[in-house]
Amino acid sequence: MDALFGDDLLERPRREVAPGAVWVPGFLDPTQQAWLVARFREWAEGPVPPRAAKVRGHEMSVKTVCLGWHWRPYAYTREAVDVNGREVLDVPDWMVRLGRSAIAAAYGDDPGEWSETLRLEGDYTPDTALVNFYDEAARMGMHQDRDEVSRAPVVSLSIGDSCTFRFGNTETRNKPYEDLVLESGDLFVFGGPSRLAYHAVTRMHPGTAPPGCGLEAGRINITLRETGLDG
Ligand code: SIN
Ligand code: MN
């Protein structure tokens, strides 16, 4: 049976791209994808609308709406001080559970050899979600996610159009890196030795959103993180 239903027969099997960085294609089914898109539309209604964050004076091409903590480059605050000053929505309980099932899908129910390096203190409990919307021209340059105090894994979910995702190393924004195509429903988790790896979205693939995912065009990316902040 293993041979019949083993990962090796899947077109896009789960794969460890770098130590602690795991790609799980097709983690979300189409119903879950469409449900998350509907939630995104609610979050976009406010209290804080999606906005293009400014990095060193330049607007990002991606628009972001945050839950739990509001992210702006180099800082997390409860109020969206660079948008309208309103407090962001809470991270819903179902999202914490989704984060835990993502961690289990990536590392296994019993991370064993991983547990030392993943910096999980108890169950994974993301206290922020950054929800990004990419139109067909949007991209995100090579960067590290290092505004969090916690080094627990980052859980990343993709819905809608595919994109080319570049996953690199922790030392430089240059090679070695690998380019992957993240499709609607894919999960990518990076923790442990890859927690501070540089990564980027180098381009979108317009027209690839599958029917039934809830988005006709564009891409939604949800990243869950533990900030390690109090208050
Ligand atoms: C991010 O690096 O914060 C987003 C990555 C993605 O959109 O897949
Ligand atoms: Mn990032």
mmCIF file of all heavy atoms in Angstrom, residues 40-64:
data_model
loop_
_atom_site.group_PDB
_atom_site.id
_atom_site.type_symbol
_atom_site.label_atom_id
_atom_site.label_comp_id
_atom_site.label_asym_id
_atom_site.label_seq_id
_atom_site.Cartn_x
_atom_site.Cartn_y
_atom_site.Cartn_z
ATOM 1 N N PHE A 40 -10.816 36.771 4.125
ATOM 2 C CA PHE A 40 -9.957 37.890 3.701
ATOM 3 C C PHE A 40 -10.819 39.102 3.322
ATOM 4 O O PHE A 40 -10.519 40.235 3.686
ATOM 5 C CB PHE A 40 -9.069 37.476 2.520
ATOM 6 C CG PHE A 40 -8.354 38.640 1.882
ATOM 7 C CD1 PHE A 40 -7.275 39.233 2.513
ATOM 8 C CD2 PHE A 40 -8.785 39.161 0.666
ATOM 9 C CE1 PHE A 40 -6.619 40.326 1.941
ATOM 10 C CE2 PHE A 40 -8.137 40.251 0.093
ATOM 11 C CZ PHE A 40 -7.061 40.827 0.728
ATOM 12 N N ARG A 41 -11.916 38.834 2.629
ATOM 13 C CA ARG A 41 -12.776 39.954 2.202
ATOM 14 C C ARG A 41 -13.376 40.647 3.422
ATOM 15 O O ARG A 41 -13.538 41.861 3.436
ATOM 16 C CB ARG A 41 -13.861 39.453 1.250
ATOM 17 C CG ARG A 41 -13.241 38.941 -0.055
ATOM 18 C CD ARG A 41 -14.220 38.902 -1.228
ATOM 19 N NE ARG A 41 -13.460 38.749 -2.465
ATOM 20 C CZ ARG A 41 -13.394 37.632 -3.200
ATOM 21 N NH1 ARG A 41 -14.110 36.569 -2.857
ATOM 22 N NH2 ARG A 41 -12.652 37.590 -4.280
ATOM 23 N N GLU A 42 -13.684 39.884 4.460
ATOM 24 C CA GLU A 42 -14.195 40.507 5.697
ATOM 25 C C GLU A 42 -13.107 41.337 6.376
ATOM 26 O O GLU A 42 -13.345 42.468 6.794
ATOM 27 C CB GLU A 42 -14.688 39.423 6.672
ATOM 28 C CG GLU A 42 -15.942 38.713 6.196
ATOM 29 C CD GLU A 42 -16.281 37.470 7.022
ATOM 30 O OE1 GLU A 42 -15.559 37.150 7.999
ATOM 31 O OE2 GLU A 42 -17.273 36.809 6.672
ATOM 32 N N TRP A 43 -11.918 40.757 6.491
ATOM 33 C CA TRP A 43 -10.822 41.497 7.153
ATOM 34 C C TRP A 43 -10.510 42.796 6.415
ATOM 35 O O TRP A 43 -10.155 43.806 7.020
ATOM 36 C CB TRP A 43 -9.556 40.631 7.223
ATOM 37 C CG TRP A 43 -9.733 39.363 7.990
ATOM 38 C CD1 TRP A 43 -10.563 39.157 9.058
ATOM 39 C CD2 TRP A 43 -9.082 38.102 7.745
ATOM 40 N NE1 TRP A 43 -10.461 37.855 9.491
ATOM 41 C CE2 TRP A 43 -9.555 37.190 8.706
ATOM 42 C CE3 TRP A 43 -8.140 37.663 6.816
ATOM 43 C CZ2 TRP A 43 -9.130 35.861 8.773
ATOM 44 C CZ3 TRP A 43 -7.704 36.354 6.873
ATOM 45 C CH2 TRP A 43 -8.199 35.461 7.840
ATOM 46 N N ALA A 44 -10.633 42.736 5.074
ATOM 47 C CA ALA A 44 -10.309 43.914 4.275
ATOM 48 C C ALA A 44 -11.296 45.065 4.526
ATOM 49 O O ALA A 44 -11.000 46.221 4.222
ATOM 50 C CB ALA A 44 -10.286 43.538 2.791
ATOM 51 N N GLU A 45 -12.466 44.738 5.105
ATOM 52 C CA GLU A 45 -13.454 45.778 5.428
ATOM 53 C C GLU A 45 -13.017 46.611 6.631
ATOM 54 O O GLU A 45 -13.630 47.596 6.971
ATOM 55 C CB GLU A 45 -14.808 45.139 5.755
ATOM 56 C CG GLU A 45 -15.486 44.441 4.602
ATOM 57 C CD GLU A 45 -15.887 45.418 3.529
ATOM 58 O OE1 GLU A 45 -16.519 46.441 3.877
ATOM 59 O OE2 GLU A 45 -15.545 45.174 2.354
ATOM 60 N N GLY A 46 -12.037 46.185 7.327
ATOM 61 C CA GLY A 46 -11.558 46.948 8.472
ATOM 62 C C GLY A 46 -11.730 46.203 9.770
ATOM 63 O O GLY A 46 -12.148 45.049 9.743
ATOM 64 N N PRO A 47 -11.350 46.827 10.876
ATOM 65 C CA PRO A 47 -11.100 48.255 11.082
ATOM 66 C C PRO A 47 -9.887 48.841 10.370
ATOM 67 O O PRO A 47 -9.820 50.058 10.166
ATOM 68 C CB PRO A 47 -10.896 48.356 12.608
ATOM 69 C CG PRO A 47 -10.436 46.983 13.009
ATOM 70 C CD PRO A 47 -11.157 46.043 12.104
ATOM 71 N N VAL A 48 -8.973 47.987 9.923
ATOM 72 C CA VAL A 48 -7.780 48.514 9.243
ATOM 73 C C VAL A 48 -7.753 47.931 7.834
ATOM 74 O O VAL A 48 -7.656 46.716 7.670
ATOM 75 C CB VAL A 48 -6.487 48.108 9.996
ATOM 76 C CG1 VAL A 48 -5.274 48.718 9.301
ATOM 77 C CG2 VAL A 48 -6.555 48.536 11.456
ATOM 78 N N PRO A 49 -7.871 48.751 6.807
ATOM 79 C CA PRO A 49 -7.891 48.213 5.438
ATOM 80 C C PRO A 49 -6.506 47.732 5.012
ATOM 81 O O PRO A 49 -5.499 48.145 5.588
ATOM 82 C CB PRO A 49 -8.317 49.420 4.598
ATOM 83 C CG PRO A 49 -7.865 50.603 5.384
ATOM 84 C CD PRO A 49 -7.963 50.219 6.838
ATOM 85 N N PRO A 50 -6.444 46.858 3.987
ATOM 86 C CA PRO A 50 -5.136 46.458 3.460
ATOM 87 C C PRO A 50 -4.366 47.703 3.014
ATOM 88 O O PRO A 50 -4.957 48.633 2.472
ATOM 89 C CB PRO A 50 -5.481 45.590 2.247
ATOM 90 C CG PRO A 50 -6.888 45.147 2.472
ATOM 91 C CD PRO A 50 -7.557 46.251 3.238
ATOM 92 N N ARG A 51 -3.086 47.697 3.237
ATOM 93 C CA ARG A 51 -2.283 48.830 2.792
ATOM 94 C C ARG A 51 -0.914 48.344 2.322
ATOM 95 O O ARG A 51 -0.431 47.294 2.716
ATOM 96 C CB ARG A 51 -2.153 49.885 3.894
ATOM 97 C CG ARG A 51 -1.315 49.472 5.097
ATOM 98 C CD ARG A 51 0.164 49.664 4.910
ATOM 99 N NE ARG A 51 0.933 49.439 6.103
ATOM 100 C CZ ARG A 51 1.265 48.260 6.607
ATOM 101 N NH1 ARG A 51 0.825 47.147 6.046
ATOM 102 N NH2 ARG A 51 2.025 48.171 7.685
ATOM 103 N N ALA A 52 -0.323 49.141 1.441
ATOM 104 C CA ALA A 52 1.026 48.863 0.955
ATOM 105 C C ALA A 52 1.996 49.479 1.955
ATOM 106 O O ALA A 52 2.050 50.703 2.095
ATOM 107 C CB ALA A 52 1.216 49.465 -0.430
ATOM 108 N N ALA A 53 2.729 48.646 2.664
ATOM 109 C CA ALA A 53 3.678 49.165 3.657
ATOM 110 C C ALA A 53 4.822 49.869 2.938
ATOM 111 O O ALA A 53 5.164 49.537 1.806
ATOM 112 C CB ALA A 53 4.216 48.018 4.502
ATOM 113 N N LYS A 54 5.400 50.854 3.627
ATOM 114 C CA LYS A 54 6.541 51.570 3.046
ATOM 115 C C LYS A 54 7.831 51.042 3.636
ATOM 116 O O LYS A 54 7.996 50.991 4.852
ATOM 117 C CB LYS A 54 6.440 53.067 3.358
ATOM 118 C CG LYS A 54 5.554 53.790 2.401
ATOM 119 C CD LYS A 54 5.733 55.280 2.527
ATOM 120 C CE LYS A 54 4.834 55.981 1.522
ATOM 121 N NZ LYS A 54 4.593 57.361 1.870
ATOM 122 N N VAL A 55 8.727 50.628 2.762
ATOM 123 C CA VAL A 55 10.045 50.173 3.189
ATOM 124 C C VAL A 55 11.052 51.207 2.715
ATOM 125 O O VAL A 55 11.196 51.413 1.518
ATOM 126 C CB VAL A 55 10.390 48.787 2.595
ATOM 127 C CG1 VAL A 55 11.723 48.288 3.130
ATOM 128 C CG2 VAL A 55 9.293 47.779 2.891
ATOM 129 N N ARG A 56 11.701 51.872 3.663
ATOM 130 C CA ARG A 56 12.659 52.947 3.361
ATOM 131 C C ARG A 56 12.077 53.923 2.330
ATOM 132 O O ARG A 56 12.697 54.251 1.327
ATOM 133 C CB ARG A 56 13.992 52.360 2.883
ATOM 134 C CG ARG A 56 14.764 51.663 4.017
ATOM 135 C CD ARG A 56 16.083 51.096 3.540
ATOM 136 N NE ARG A 56 15.896 49.985 2.618
ATOM 137 C CZ ARG A 56 15.712 48.712 2.997
ATOM 138 N NH1 ARG A 56 15.748 48.398 4.270
ATOM 139 N NH2 ARG A 56 15.530 47.772 2.107
ATOM 140 N N GLY A 57 10.829 54.323 2.595
ATOM 141 C CA GLY A 57 10.200 55.344 1.763
ATOM 142 C C GLY A 57 9.520 54.847 0.496
ATOM 143 O O GLY A 57 8.818 55.597 -0.165
ATOM 144 N N HIS A 58 9.697 53.559 0.172
ATOM 145 C CA HIS A 58 9.081 53.026 -1.045
ATOM 146 C C HIS A 58 7.911 52.114 -0.705
ATOM 147 O O HIS A 58 8.049 51.221 0.111
ATOM 148 C CB HIS A 58 10.096 52.225 -1.865
ATOM 149 C CG HIS A 58 11.213 53.066 -2.395
ATOM 150 N ND1 HIS A 58 11.060 53.882 -3.496
ATOM 151 C CD2 HIS A 58 12.476 53.242 -1.947
ATOM 152 C CE1 HIS A 58 12.192 54.527 -3.713
ATOM 153 N NE2 HIS A 58 13.073 54.160 -2.785
ATOM 154 N N GLU A 59 6.791 52.342 -1.370
ATOM 155 C CA GLU A 59 5.633 51.481 -1.127
ATOM 156 C C GLU A 59 5.860 50.089 -1.688
ATOM 157 O O GLU A 59 6.303 49.936 -2.829
ATOM 158 C CB GLU A 59 4.390 52.069 -1.799
ATOM 159 C CG GLU A 59 3.617 52.954 -0.888
ATOM 160 C CD GLU A 59 2.236 53.294 -1.435
ATOM 161 O OE1 GLU A 59 1.813 52.768 -2.474
ATOM 162 O OE2 GLU A 59 1.572 54.111 -0.780
ATOM 163 N N MET A 60 5.527 49.084 -0.907
ATOM 164 C CA MET A 60 5.585 47.717 -1.414
ATOM 165 C C MET A 60 4.473 47.527 -2.449
ATOM 166 O O MET A 60 3.444 48.199 -2.386
ATOM 167 C CB MET A 60 5.400 46.713 -0.265
ATOM 168 C CG MET A 60 6.552 46.707 0.721
ATOM 169 S SD MET A 60 6.227 45.666 2.168
ATOM 170 C CE MET A 60 6.276 44.022 1.466
ATOM 171 N N SER A 61 4.653 46.589 -3.377
ATOM 172 C CA SER A 61 3.602 46.338 -4.371
ATOM 173 C C SER A 61 2.514 45.426 -3.807
ATOM 174 O O SER A 61 1.433 45.306 -4.375
ATOM 175 C CB SER A 61 4.197 45.717 -5.637
ATOM 176 O OG SER A 61 4.971 44.580 -5.331
ATOM 177 N N VAL A 62 2.811 44.799 -2.681
ATOM 178 C CA VAL A 62 1.865 43.911 -2.007
ATOM 179 C C VAL A 62 1.046 44.732 -1.011
ATOM 180 O O VAL A 62 1.576 45.639 -0.389
ATOM 181 C CB VAL A 62 2.677 42.825 -1.261
ATOM 182 C CG1 VAL A 62 1.798 41.989 -0.363
ATOM 183 C CG2 VAL A 62 3.429 41.959 -2.263
ATOM 184 N N LYS A 63 -0.241 44.403 -0.890
ATOM 185 C CA LYS A 63 -1.068 45.063 0.125
ATOM 186 C C LYS A 63 -1.307 44.086 1.270
ATOM 187 O O LYS A 63 -1.631 42.923 1.036
ATOM 188 C CB LYS A 63 -2.395 45.502 -0.473
ATOM 189 C CG LYS A 63 -2.240 46.681 -1.405
ATOM 190 C CD LYS A 63 -3.607 47.313 -1.674
ATOM 191 C CE LYS A 63 -3.461 48.681 -2.322
ATOM 192 N NZ LYS A 63 -2.733 48.605 -3.595
ATOM 193 N N THR A 64 -1.181 44.569 2.492
ATOM 194 C CA THR A 64 -1.218 43.685 3.658
ATOM 195 C C THR A 64 -2.292 44.119 4.647
ATOM 196 O O THR A 64 -2.444 45.315 4.917
ATOM 197 C CB THR A 64 0.158 43.715 4.374
ATOM 198 O OG1 THR A 64 1.179 43.479 3.426
ATOM 199 C CG2 THR A 64 0.237 42.677 5.489
#
